[in-house]
Each structure stands twice: as structure tokens, then as C-alpha cells.
Amino acid sequence: MRRVIVTAHAASKMASRGVTLTEVEECALNPEVAYGQGSNEIRQRGTLALAVVTDGRDIIVRTVLLRQVSQWTDEDARARKEANR
């Protein structure tokens, strides 16, 4: 089973943005959209976005962001993912 590890910076952002560990774990393990290069990824679920690093076994959450749908949509993320292929 993959572990979700939250850095001190990400934990601070979670607290300031009112995001729970359960929400972070769900987004990290079951994202609606994920894109990136190599081991660095952005994982999105609902209005939550995570910057993560994966090492094949663990998912390390580097920061936690709240998406503003009017500025950043799932369609935008999918287009960006396709552009990076």
C-alpha cells in the first residue's frame, strides 16, 4: 500500500486553508486529474490540488493548494497534460 507523507510546509498550508488529512489522502491516492514530469506531479480532486513527488512507493505532498475553478479547470489541466506528453 502506498503511503502519503505530508511535509511540514504542506501541513502548514493544510492548517491555514482548512484542509483535512483525509481530503489530502483522497486527492493524493485518487486524483481526478494528474499531470507532471518525472516524479513531480500536480494531483487534483474537486477544489483541491497537491504538488507531490512520487518515489514509486510513497507519495510525498510538498504543498496544498485550493483551486479557483474560474481560473483553472479540469479541461485546462488535461490540455496541459497532453501538451507535456
Side-chain angles (χ1 to χ4, degrees), residues 1-4 29 57-58:
M1 179 177 206
R2 298 184 87 176
R3 292 185 308 164
V4 176
L29 296 170
R57 187 184 69 191
D58 297 328

Side-chain angles (χ1 to χ4, degrees), residues 23-51:
E23 291 171 312
V24 167
E25 290 173 333
E26 183 65 22
C27 184
L29 296 170
N30 301 302
E32 294 169 341
V33 177
Y35 59 89
Q37 293 182 339
S39 62
N40 295 304
E41 291 184 343
I42 300 294
R43 295 185 176 199
Q44 304 170 351
R45 184 170 188 85
T47 59
L48 187 61
L50 309 174

Side-chain angles (χ1 to χ4, degrees), residues 4-80:
V4 176
I5 299 169
V6 178
T7 64
H9 172 80
S12 172
K13 294 301 179 185
M14 287 169 59
S16 68
R17 294 178 173 135
V19 176
T20 67
L21 181 58
T22 301
E23 291 171 312
V24 167
E25 290 173 333
E26 183 65 22
C27 184
L29 296 170
N30 301 302
E32 294 169 341
V33 177
Y35 59 89
Q37 293 182 339
S39 62
N40 295 304
E41 291 184 343
I42 300 294
R43 295 185 176 199
Q44 304 170 351
R45 184 170 188 85
T47 59
L48 187 61
L50 309 174
V52 303
V53 176
T54 58
D55 68 4
R57 187 184 69 191
D58 297 328
I59 300 168
I60 302 162
V61 181
R62 298 175 64 198
T63 196
V64 176
L65 307 163
L66 294 177
R67 294 175 43 212
Q68 294 187 9
V69 177
S70 63
Q71 295 177 6
W72 183 21
T73 66
D74 288 344
E75 185 175 310
D76 294 336
R78 287 184 194 98
R80 181 175 175 173

